[in-house]
Protein backbone atom coordinates (compact mmCIF):
# COMPACT_ATOMS: atom_id res chain seq x y z
CA UNK A 1 0.00 0.00 0.00
CA UNK A 2 2.85 2.40 0.87
CA UNK A 3 4.58 1.69 -2.42
CA UNK A 4 1.50 2.41 -4.50
CA UNK A 5 0.87 5.66 -2.62
CA UNK A 6 4.44 6.87 -3.27
CA UNK A 7 4.10 5.99 -6.94
CA UNK A 8 0.87 7.95 -7.23
CA UNK A 9 2.52 10.91 -5.49
CA UNK A 10 5.46 10.81 -7.90
CA UNK A 11 3.16 10.73 -10.90
CA UNK A 12 1.35 13.84 -9.61
CA UNK A 13 4.60 15.76 -9.20
CA UNK A 14 5.98 14.77 -12.62
CA UNK A 15 5.55 17.35 -15.41
CA UNK A 16 2.74 16.63 -17.79
CA UNK A 17 4.28 16.58 -21.24
CA UNK A 18 0.87 16.62 -22.89
CA UNK A 19 0.20 20.04 -21.42
CA UNK A 20 3.38 21.59 -22.89
CA UNK A 21 2.95 23.84 -25.89
CA UNK A 22 3.17 22.13 -29.26
CA UNK A 23 6.18 22.64 -31.52
CA UNK A 24 5.80 25.59 -33.87
CA UNK A 25 5.03 24.88 -37.51
CA UNK A 26 7.21 25.95 -40.43
CA UNK A 27 4.95 28.91 -41.17
CA UNK A 28 5.10 30.06 -37.52
CA UNK A 29 8.90 29.81 -37.59
CA UNK A 30 9.06 31.90 -40.75
CA UNK A 31 6.69 34.48 -39.26
CA UNK A 32 8.53 34.76 -35.95
CA UNK A 33 12.01 34.48 -37.49
CA UNK A 34 12.94 31.41 -35.48
CA UNK A 35 15.76 29.16 -36.70
CA UNK A 36 14.92 25.53 -37.63
CA UNK A 37 16.88 22.38 -36.88
CA UNK A 38 19.15 20.81 -39.49
CA UNK A 39 16.82 17.87 -39.91
CA UNK A 40 13.90 20.23 -40.48
CA UNK A 41 12.20 19.50 -37.17
CA UNK A 42 11.59 22.16 -34.55
CA UNK A 43 13.22 21.89 -31.18
CA UNK A 44 10.89 21.08 -28.32
CA UNK A 45 10.60 23.67 -25.54
CA UNK A 46 12.26 23.00 -22.24
CA UNK A 47 9.80 21.18 -20.00
CA UNK A 48 11.44 22.61 -16.87
CA UNK A 49 10.34 26.21 -17.54
CA UNK A 50 7.29 27.74 -19.23
CA UNK A 51 7.72 30.42 -21.94
CA UNK A 52 8.01 34.01 -20.71
CA UNK A 53 4.98 35.01 -22.74
CA UNK A 54 2.83 32.57 -20.76
CA UNK A 55 3.55 34.31 -17.42
CA UNK A 56 3.74 38.08 -18.01
CA UNK A 57 4.80 40.14 -14.97
CA UNK A 58 1.96 41.67 -12.94
CA UNK A 59 1.97 45.46 -13.21
CA UNK A 60 -0.04 47.10 -10.43
CA UNK A 61 -2.01 50.29 -11.00
CA UNK A 62 -0.11 53.28 -9.61
CA UNK A 63 -3.22 55.33 -8.75
CA UNK A 64 -3.10 56.32 -5.04
CA UNK A 65 -6.34 55.92 -3.05
CA UNK A 66 -6.24 58.61 -0.36
CA UNK A 67 -9.21 57.21 1.55
CA UNK A 68 -7.56 53.77 1.86
CA UNK A 69 -3.99 55.12 2.11
CA UNK A 70 -2.65 52.74 -0.53
CA UNK A 71 -2.39 52.28 -4.27
CA UNK A 72 -5.03 50.57 -6.36
CA UNK A 73 -4.48 46.81 -6.54
CA UNK A 74 -5.94 46.32 -10.00
CA UNK A 75 -3.72 45.40 -12.94
CA UNK A 76 -2.48 48.29 -15.05
CA UNK A 77 -3.69 48.47 -18.62
CA UNK A 78 -1.31 47.65 -21.46
CA UNK A 79 0.90 50.63 -22.25
CA UNK A 80 -0.22 52.57 -19.15
CA UNK A 81 0.66 52.78 -15.48
CA UNK A 82 -3.04 52.96 -14.51
CA UNK A 83 -5.84 50.44 -14.66
CA UNK A 84 -8.92 50.86 -16.85
CA UNK A 85 -10.86 52.19 -13.84
CA UNK A 86 -8.50 55.08 -13.12
CA UNK A 87 -6.70 55.74 -16.37
CA UNK A 88 -8.85 54.42 -19.16
CA UNK A 89 -9.29 56.82 -22.02
CA UNK A 90 -12.78 58.13 -22.55
CA UNK A 91 -13.98 57.41 -19.01
CA UNK A 92 -15.79 59.87 -16.76
CA UNK A 93 -17.07 59.83 -13.17
CA UNK A 94 -20.78 59.55 -12.50
CA UNK A 95 -21.93 62.84 -10.92
CA UNK A 96 -24.13 60.93 -8.43
CA UNK A 97 -22.12 57.90 -7.26
CA UNK A 98 -18.62 58.80 -8.61
CA UNK A 99 -18.34 55.45 -10.41
CA UNK A 100 -15.95 55.52 -13.38
CA UNK A 101 -17.82 54.59 -16.56
CA UNK A 102 -17.18 54.98 -20.26
CA UNK A 103 -18.30 58.35 -21.57
CA UNK A 104 -20.48 56.71 -24.20
CA UNK A 105 -22.23 54.62 -21.53
CA UNK A 106 -22.85 57.43 -19.03
CA UNK A 107 -26.46 57.95 -20.12
CA UNK A 108 -27.20 54.24 -19.76
CA UNK A 109 -25.53 54.17 -16.34
CA UNK A 110 -27.56 57.15 -15.14
CA UNK A 111 -30.80 55.29 -15.85
CA UNK A 112 -29.91 52.51 -13.40
CA UNK A 113 -27.60 54.33 -10.95
CA UNK A 114 -29.10 53.91 -7.43
CA UNK A 115 -27.98 57.36 -6.30
CA UNK A 116 -29.45 59.01 -9.39
CA UNK A 117 -32.69 57.07 -8.97
CA UNK A 118 -33.03 58.20 -5.36
CA UNK A 119 -32.40 61.81 -6.36
CA UNK A 120 -35.04 61.64 -9.11
CA UNK A 121 -37.55 60.20 -6.66
CA UNK A 122 -36.76 62.93 -4.13
CA UNK A 123 -36.98 65.71 -6.70
CA UNK A 124 -40.40 64.44 -7.77
CA UNK A 125 -41.83 64.89 -4.26
CA UNK A 126 -44.13 67.92 -3.83
CA UNK A 127 -42.30 69.05 -0.69
CA UNK A 128 -38.96 69.32 -2.51
CA UNK A 129 -38.52 72.97 -3.50
CA UNK A 130 -34.87 73.82 -4.27
CA UNK A 131 -33.61 76.69 -2.12
CA UNK A 132 -36.94 77.44 -0.46
CA UNK A 133 -35.34 77.93 2.98
CA UNK A 134 -32.20 79.69 1.76
CA UNK A 135 -31.76 83.42 2.12
CA UNK A 136 -32.36 85.27 -1.16
CA UNK A 137 -28.86 86.76 -1.15
CA UNK A 138 -27.27 83.37 -0.45
CA UNK A 139 -29.32 81.65 -3.17
CA UNK A 140 -28.17 84.21 -5.73
CA UNK A 141 -24.52 84.02 -4.66
CA UNK A 142 -24.41 80.23 -4.51
CA UNK A 143 -24.21 79.97 -8.28
CA UNK A 144 -21.29 82.39 -8.55
CA UNK A 145 -18.98 82.05 -5.56
CA UNK A 146 -18.39 79.37 -2.96
CA UNK A 147 -18.66 80.42 0.66
CA UNK A 148 -15.41 79.55 2.42
CA UNK A 149 -14.98 80.60 6.01
CA UNK A 150 -11.40 81.58 6.94
CA UNK A 151 -9.65 79.78 9.75
CA UNK A 152 -9.03 81.35 13.13
CA UNK A 153 -5.34 81.77 12.34
CA UNK A 154 -6.22 84.08 9.41
CA UNK A 155 -7.66 86.75 11.75
CA UNK A 156 -5.44 89.32 13.40
CA UNK A 157 -5.60 90.03 17.12
CA UNK A 158 -7.20 93.42 16.38
CA UNK A 159 -10.00 91.79 14.38
CA UNK A 160 -10.69 89.26 17.13
CA UNK A 161 -10.78 92.04 19.73
CA UNK A 162 -13.24 94.00 17.58
CA UNK A 163 -15.43 90.91 17.23
CA UNK A 164 -15.59 90.33 20.99
CA UNK A 165 -16.32 94.01 21.60
CA UNK A 166 -19.19 93.90 19.09
CA UNK A 167 -20.60 90.80 20.81
CA UNK A 168 -20.51 92.45 24.23
CA UNK A 169 -22.12 95.63 22.85
CA UNK A 170 -24.95 93.69 21.19
CA UNK A 171 -25.66 91.58 24.28
CA UNK A 172 -25.72 94.65 26.52
CA UNK A 173 -27.75 96.73 24.08
CA UNK A 174 -30.46 94.08 23.71
CA UNK A 175 -30.48 93.07 27.38
CA UNK A 176 -29.26 89.53 26.70
CA UNK A 177 -26.31 89.53 29.08
CA UNK A 178 -28.20 88.03 32.02
CA UNK A 179 -28.16 84.48 33.28
CA UNK A 180 -30.14 81.93 31.26
CA UNK A 181 -33.20 80.51 32.96
CA UNK A 182 -34.13 76.86 33.04
CA UNK A 183 -32.18 73.81 34.12
CA UNK A 184 -32.41 70.06 33.99
CA UNK A 185 -35.95 68.69 33.93
CA UNK A 186 -37.01 65.08 34.55
CA UNK A 187 -40.70 64.64 33.70
CA UNK A 188 -42.53 61.70 35.23
CA UNK A 189 -43.67 60.42 31.84
CA UNK A 190 -40.03 59.86 30.80
CA UNK A 191 -39.07 57.69 33.75
CA UNK A 192 -39.43 54.38 31.92
CA UNK A 193 -36.92 55.57 29.32
CA UNK A 194 -34.49 56.75 32.01
CA UNK A 195 -34.69 53.62 34.17
CA UNK A 196 -31.45 51.61 34.37
CA UNK A 197 -31.65 47.90 33.62
CA UNK A 198 -29.13 45.24 32.86
CA UNK A 199 -30.18 45.07 29.21
CA UNK A 200 -30.32 48.85 28.73
CA UNK A 201 -33.19 51.27 28.74
CA UNK A 202 -36.28 49.78 27.19
CA UNK A 203 -39.86 50.64 26.48
CA UNK A 204 -42.52 48.16 27.46
CA UNK A 205 -45.02 46.80 24.99
CA UNK A 206 -44.79 46.01 21.32
CA UNK A 207 -42.27 43.42 20.19
CA UNK A 208 -39.64 44.53 22.66
CA UNK A 209 -37.26 45.93 20.02
CA UNK A 210 -35.74 49.11 21.46
CA UNK A 211 -32.47 50.78 20.43
CA UNK A 212 -29.90 51.40 23.13
CA UNK A 213 -30.06 54.84 24.71
CA UNK A 214 -26.98 56.41 26.23
CA UNK A 215 -27.84 57.85 29.59
CA UNK A 216 -26.27 61.23 28.81
CA UNK A 217 -28.40 61.75 25.70
CA UNK A 218 -31.52 60.27 27.31
CA UNK A 219 -31.21 62.75 30.18
CA UNK A 220 -30.87 65.65 27.73
CA UNK A 221 -33.86 64.65 25.60
CA UNK A 222 -35.95 64.12 28.75
CA UNK A 223 -35.07 67.64 29.87
CA UNK A 224 -36.10 68.99 26.44
CA UNK A 225 -39.44 67.22 26.85
CA UNK A 226 -39.82 68.65 30.36
CA UNK A 227 -39.36 72.23 29.13
CA UNK A 228 -41.84 71.62 26.30
CA UNK A 229 -44.45 70.37 28.75
CA UNK A 230 -43.87 73.31 31.11
CA UNK A 231 -44.59 75.81 28.34
CA UNK A 232 -47.50 73.86 26.82
CA UNK A 233 -45.74 73.39 23.50
CA UNK A 234 -47.41 69.99 23.13
CA UNK A 235 -50.85 71.15 24.27
CA UNK A 236 -53.72 70.57 21.78
CA UNK A 237 -54.59 73.53 19.56
CA UNK A 238 -58.10 74.71 18.70
CA UNK A 239 -58.72 76.57 15.46
CA UNK A 240 -61.91 77.69 13.69
CA UNK A 241 -62.92 75.22 11.01
CA UNK A 242 -64.72 76.20 7.81
CA UNK A 243 -67.40 76.74 6.75
CA UNK A 244 -69.25 77.50 10.00
CA UNK A 245 -66.16 78.70 11.86
CA UNK A 246 -66.69 76.43 14.86
CA UNK A 247 -63.66 75.73 17.01
CA UNK A 248 -62.02 72.41 16.18
CA UNK A 249 -59.20 70.68 18.00
CA UNK A 250 -56.31 69.79 15.72
CA UNK A 251 -54.17 66.72 16.22
CA UNK A 252 -50.53 67.36 17.16
CA UNK A 253 -47.87 66.12 14.73
CA UNK A 254 -44.25 66.17 15.89
CA UNK A 255 -41.85 67.08 13.06
CA UNK A 256 -38.25 66.29 13.99
CA UNK A 257 -35.65 68.00 11.81
CA UNK A 258 -32.19 66.48 11.43
CA UNK A 259 -33.78 63.50 13.13
CA UNK A 260 -30.90 61.02 12.85
CA UNK A 261 -32.05 57.84 14.56
CA UNK A 262 -35.13 59.51 16.01
CA UNK A 263 -34.31 59.26 19.72
CA UNK A 264 -35.71 62.71 20.42
CA UNK A 265 -39.04 61.70 18.88
CA UNK A 266 -39.08 58.55 21.00
CA UNK A 267 -38.76 60.74 24.10
CA UNK A 268 -41.35 63.27 22.89
CA UNK A 269 -43.78 60.39 22.35
CA UNK A 270 -43.88 59.96 26.13
CA UNK A 271 -45.49 63.41 26.28
CA UNK A 272 -48.55 62.50 24.24
CA UNK A 273 -48.08 62.93 20.44
CA UNK A 274 -48.92 59.91 18.31
CA UNK A 275 -47.89 61.17 14.87
CA UNK A 276 -44.31 61.81 13.84
CA UNK A 277 -42.56 63.03 10.70
CA UNK A 278 -38.79 62.49 10.82
CA UNK A 279 -36.65 64.41 8.31
CA UNK A 280 -32.96 63.90 7.60
CA UNK A 281 -30.78 63.91 4.51
CA UNK A 282 -29.03 60.67 5.49
CA UNK A 283 -30.11 57.10 6.18
CA UNK A 284 -29.37 55.59 9.59
CA UNK A 285 -29.36 52.13 11.08
CA UNK A 286 -30.78 51.14 14.47
CA UNK A 287 -33.50 53.74 14.21
CA UNK A 288 -36.21 54.30 16.81
CA UNK A 289 -38.99 54.06 14.21
CA UNK A 290 -39.85 50.49 15.15
CA UNK A 291 -40.07 51.39 18.82
CA UNK A 292 -42.39 54.31 18.03
CA UNK A 293 -44.68 52.03 16.03
CA UNK A 294 -44.66 49.56 18.92
CA UNK A 295 -46.08 52.38 21.06
CA UNK A 296 -48.94 52.84 18.60
CA UNK A 297 -47.46 55.90 16.85
CA UNK A 298 -47.61 56.73 13.17
CA UNK A 299 -44.11 57.37 11.76
CA UNK A 300 -43.14 58.79 8.37
CA UNK A 301 -39.54 59.31 7.32
CA UNK A 302 -38.52 61.80 4.63
CA UNK A 303 -35.04 61.95 3.17
CA UNK A 304 -34.52 65.60 2.36
CA UNK A 305 -32.19 68.54 2.77
CA UNK A 306 -33.62 71.24 5.03
CA UNK A 307 -32.56 73.85 2.50
CA UNK A 308 -35.10 72.42 0.04
CA UNK A 309 -37.84 71.31 2.48
CA UNK A 310 -41.31 72.89 2.29
CA UNK A 311 -43.39 71.62 5.22
CA UNK A 312 -46.53 73.20 3.79
CA UNK A 313 -46.60 70.49 1.14
CA UNK A 314 -46.19 67.49 3.44
CA UNK A 315 -49.41 65.46 3.30
CA UNK A 316 -49.07 64.20 6.91
CA UNK A 317 -49.50 67.77 8.19
CA UNK A 318 -52.81 68.34 6.41
CA UNK A 319 -55.43 69.68 8.84
CA UNK A 320 -53.11 69.12 11.81
CA UNK A 321 -50.99 71.23 14.16
CA UNK A 322 -47.23 70.77 13.81
CA UNK A 323 -44.64 70.98 16.57
CA UNK A 324 -41.18 71.39 15.05
CA UNK A 325 -38.38 69.94 17.18
CA UNK A 326 -34.68 69.32 16.70
CA UNK A 327 -31.65 68.63 18.87
CA UNK A 328 -28.10 69.60 17.92
CA UNK A 329 -28.91 71.35 14.65
CA UNK A 330 -25.43 72.02 13.31
CA UNK A 331 -24.60 75.51 12.14
CA UNK A 332 -26.63 76.74 9.21
CA UNK A 333 -29.13 73.90 9.69
CA UNK A 334 -30.66 75.93 12.55
CA UNK A 335 -31.36 78.84 10.18
CA UNK A 336 -32.90 76.48 7.63
CA UNK A 337 -35.03 74.92 10.38
CA UNK A 338 -36.33 78.29 11.56
CA UNK A 339 -37.37 79.31 8.04
CA UNK A 340 -38.92 75.87 7.55
CA UNK A 341 -41.01 76.27 10.72
CA UNK A 342 -42.02 79.88 10.10
CA UNK A 343 -43.47 78.88 6.71
CA UNK A 344 -46.12 76.92 8.64
CA UNK A 345 -47.09 79.86 10.84
CA UNK A 346 -50.37 80.90 9.23
CA UNK A 347 -53.18 82.51 11.18
CA UNK A 348 -55.86 80.71 9.19
CA UNK A 349 -55.19 77.56 7.25
CA UNK A 350 -55.23 73.80 7.18
CA UNK A 351 -51.68 73.58 8.47
CA UNK A 352 -50.85 75.29 11.76
CA UNK A 353 -47.57 75.73 13.63
CA UNK A 354 -48.27 74.81 17.24
CA UNK A 355 -44.78 75.19 18.69
CA UNK A 356 -41.02 75.13 18.18
CA UNK A 357 -38.29 73.49 20.25
CA UNK A 358 -34.84 73.68 18.66
CA UNK A 359 -31.45 73.11 20.28
CA UNK A 360 -28.70 74.63 18.08
CA UNK A 361 -25.03 73.69 18.08
CA UNK A 362 -21.85 73.92 15.98
CA UNK A 363 -21.98 77.70 15.63
CA UNK A 364 -18.61 77.66 13.84
CA UNK A 365 -20.50 76.31 10.81
CA UNK A 366 -22.86 79.27 10.54
CA UNK A 367 -22.85 81.35 7.35
CA UNK A 368 -23.32 85.10 7.21
CA UNK A 369 -25.48 84.99 4.09
CA UNK A 370 -27.79 82.36 5.59
CA UNK A 371 -28.14 83.82 9.09
CA UNK A 372 -31.78 84.75 9.70
CA UNK A 373 -31.29 88.00 11.66
CA UNK A 374 -28.80 89.91 9.52
CA UNK A 375 -30.54 93.15 10.55
CA UNK A 376 -29.33 92.68 14.12
CA UNK A 377 -25.77 92.25 12.88
CA UNK A 378 -25.92 95.44 10.82
CA UNK A 379 -27.36 97.31 13.80
CA UNK A 380 -24.14 96.73 15.76
CA UNK A 381 -21.73 97.08 12.84
CA UNK A 382 -21.03 93.38 12.37
CA UNK A 383 -20.12 92.73 8.75
CA UNK A 384 -19.34 89.39 7.13
CA UNK A 385 -15.70 89.44 8.22
CA UNK A 386 -16.55 90.08 11.88
CA UNK A 387 -19.33 87.48 11.71
CA UNK A 388 -16.84 84.87 10.53
CA UNK A 389 -14.55 85.80 13.40
CA UNK A 390 -17.44 85.46 15.87
CA UNK A 391 -18.33 82.01 14.56
CA UNK A 392 -14.73 80.87 14.95
CA UNK A 393 -14.50 82.31 18.46
CA UNK A 394 -17.73 80.51 19.39
CA UNK A 395 -15.87 77.20 19.30
CA UNK A 396 -13.97 78.30 22.41
CA UNK A 397 -17.10 77.76 24.46
CA UNK A 398 -17.11 73.98 23.91
CA UNK A 399 -13.48 72.91 23.92
CA UNK A 400 -13.28 72.62 27.72
CA UNK A 401 -15.00 73.60 30.96
CA UNK A 402 -13.59 75.67 33.84
CA UNK A 403 -13.89 72.66 36.17
CA UNK A 404 -12.21 70.34 33.69
CA UNK A 405 -15.28 68.13 33.43
CA UNK A 406 -15.91 65.85 30.51
CA UNK A 407 -18.38 67.17 28.01
CA UNK A 408 -19.21 67.08 24.36
CA UNK A 409 -18.63 69.94 22.01
CA UNK A 410 -17.73 70.86 18.49
CA UNK A 411 -15.19 73.60 18.05
CA UNK A 412 -12.52 71.72 16.19
CA UNK A 413 -10.61 71.28 13.05
CA UNK A 414 -12.55 69.87 10.15
CA UNK A 415 -11.75 66.19 9.80
CA UNK A 416 -11.13 65.67 13.51
CA UNK A 417 -14.74 65.20 14.42
CA UNK A 418 -15.56 62.44 16.82
CA UNK A 419 -18.85 60.70 17.50
CA UNK A 420 -21.82 62.69 16.29
CA UNK A 421 -19.65 65.36 14.62
CA UNK A 422 -18.49 66.91 17.92
CA UNK A 423 -14.98 66.99 19.38
CA UNK A 424 -13.07 68.46 22.25
CA UNK A 425 -10.06 69.39 20.11
CA UNK A 426 -9.44 73.16 20.13
CA UNK A 427 -9.53 74.82 16.75
CA UNK A 428 -6.15 75.52 15.18
CA UNK A 429 -4.69 78.81 16.39
CA UNK A 430 -6.58 78.89 19.70
CA UNK A 431 -3.51 79.13 21.92
CA UNK A 432 -1.92 81.92 19.85
CA UNK A 433 -5.14 83.93 19.61
CA UNK A 434 -5.95 83.58 23.31
CA UNK A 435 -2.44 84.65 24.23
CA UNK A 436 -2.66 87.69 21.93
CA UNK A 437 -5.96 88.68 23.59
CA UNK A 438 -4.49 87.97 27.07
CA UNK A 439 -7.26 85.47 27.94
CA UNK A 440 -6.78 82.57 30.29
CA UNK A 441 -8.77 79.37 29.85
CA UNK A 442 -11.78 80.50 31.87
CA UNK A 443 -11.97 83.86 30.04
CA UNK A 444 -11.56 82.13 26.69
CA UNK A 445 -14.46 79.76 27.42
CA UNK A 446 -16.65 82.64 28.60
CA UNK A 447 -15.91 84.56 25.38
CA UNK A 448 -16.97 81.57 23.28
CA UNK A 449 -20.19 81.20 25.26
CA UNK A 450 -21.04 84.88 24.71
CA UNK A 451 -20.57 84.47 20.96
CA UNK A 452 -22.94 81.50 20.93
CA UNK A 453 -25.48 83.38 23.03
CA UNK A 454 -25.54 86.32 20.62
CA UNK A 455 -26.18 84.08 17.62
CA UNK A 456 -28.95 82.17 19.42
CA UNK A 457 -30.65 85.26 20.84
CA UNK A 458 -30.58 86.86 17.41
CA UNK A 459 -32.34 83.83 15.98
CA UNK A 460 -34.90 83.88 18.78
CA UNK A 461 -35.62 87.56 18.18
CA UNK A 462 -36.20 86.88 14.47
CA UNK A 463 -38.48 83.93 15.28
CA UNK A 464 -40.58 86.01 17.68
CA UNK A 465 -40.99 88.79 15.13
CA UNK A 466 -41.89 86.45 12.28
CA UNK A 467 -44.44 84.46 14.27
CA UNK A 468 -46.10 87.62 15.56
CA UNK A 469 -46.25 89.04 12.06
CA UNK A 470 -47.69 85.92 10.41
CA UNK A 471 -50.09 84.82 13.14
CA UNK A 472 -51.20 88.29 14.19
CA UNK A 473 -50.92 87.51 17.90
CA UNK A 474 -48.31 87.59 20.62
CA UNK A 475 -45.82 84.74 20.56
CA UNK A 476 -44.18 83.37 23.68
CA UNK A 477 -40.57 82.58 22.69
CA UNK A 478 -37.59 82.25 24.99
CA UNK A 479 -34.11 80.82 25.22
CA UNK A 480 -33.58 78.44 28.15
CA UNK A 481 -30.84 76.19 29.46
CA UNK A 482 -31.86 72.52 29.41
CA UNK A 483 -28.64 70.86 30.62
CA UNK A 484 -25.62 71.65 32.75
CA UNK A 485 -22.40 72.66 31.01
CA UNK A 486 -20.60 69.66 32.52
CA UNK A 487 -23.03 67.38 30.68
CA UNK A 488 -23.12 69.32 27.41
CA UNK A 489 -21.85 72.85 26.71
CA UNK A 490 -24.39 73.04 23.86
CA UNK A 491 -27.22 73.42 26.36
CA UNK A 492 -29.43 76.17 24.91
CA UNK A 493 -32.98 75.50 23.75
CA UNK A 494 -35.19 77.85 21.72
CA UNK A 495 -38.84 77.45 22.69
CA UNK A 496 -41.92 79.03 21.11
CA UNK A 497 -45.61 78.29 21.63
Amino acid sequence: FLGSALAARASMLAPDVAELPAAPTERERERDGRPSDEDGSASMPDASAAPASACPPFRQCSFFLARKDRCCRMEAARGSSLCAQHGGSGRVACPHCSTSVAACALTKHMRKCPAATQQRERDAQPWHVPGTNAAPVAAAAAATTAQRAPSLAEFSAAELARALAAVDAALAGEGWDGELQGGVRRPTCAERLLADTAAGRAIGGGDGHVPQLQRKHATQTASVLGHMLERSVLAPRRRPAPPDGKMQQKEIVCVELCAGRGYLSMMVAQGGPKRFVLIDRQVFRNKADRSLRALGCSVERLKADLRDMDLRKVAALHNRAAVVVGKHLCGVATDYSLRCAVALAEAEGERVLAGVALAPCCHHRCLFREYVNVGLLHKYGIDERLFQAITKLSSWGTTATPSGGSCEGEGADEGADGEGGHTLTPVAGTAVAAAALKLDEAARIAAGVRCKRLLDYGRLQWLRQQLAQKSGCRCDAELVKYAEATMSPENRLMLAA
Side-chain angles (χ1 to χ4, degrees), residues 120-130 132 300 302 308-316 351:
R120 287 193 296 267
E121 293 176 353
R122 183 203 64 187
D123 295 347
Q125 298 297 326
W127 40 258
H128 178 78
V129 182
T132 184
E300 180 180 358
L302 303 178
D308 310 322
M309 187 69 197
D310 190 352
L311 289 180
R312 295 170 295 183
K313 299 180 180 180
V314 176
R351 295 167 177 83

Side-chain angles (χ1 to χ4, degrees), residues 247-265:
M247 298 300 292
Q248 180 183 13
Q249 182 170 309
K250 292 184 178 293
E251 181 184 8
I252 293 291
V253 181
C254 179
V255 182
E256 184 178 358
L257 306 179
C258 297
R261 296 179 179 177
Y263 289 163
L264 177 59
S265 292

Side-chain angles (χ1 to χ4, degrees), residues 50 55 85 138 162 166 216 277 284 293 296 344 360 385 426 481 497:
C55 300
Q85 176 78 6
R162 284 177 51 208
K216 177 180 67 173
V277 177
F284 294 85
R293 294 188 179 99
L344 281 175
R385 179 72 176 179
K481 179 177 67 174

Side-chain angles (χ1 to χ4, degrees), residues 187 189-190 192-193 203 221-222 224-226 228-229 234 252-256 262-276 278 288-289 291-299 323 325:
C189 58
R192 57 177 176 175
L193 279 182
I203 305 175
T221 54
V224 171
L225 174 61
M228 294 173 65
L229 295 176
L234 297 176
I252 293 291
V253 181
C254 179
V255 182
E256 184 178 358
Y263 289 163
L264 177 59
S265 292
M266 187 165 62
M267 183 65 71
V268 175
Q270 313 305 309
K274 293 297 181 182
R275 286 188 176 272
F276 293 87
L278 281 66
D289 303 21
S291 300
L292 286 169
R293 294 188 179 99
L295 293 172
C297 300
S298 171
V299 182
V323 175
V325 301

Side-chain angles (χ1 to χ4, degrees), residues 175-192:
W176 297 336
D177 50 356
E179 190 70 21
L180 281 181
Q181 302 298 319
V184 180
R185 300 290 186 268
R186 191 181 176 106
T188 306
C189 58
E191 284 298 330
R192 57 177 176 175

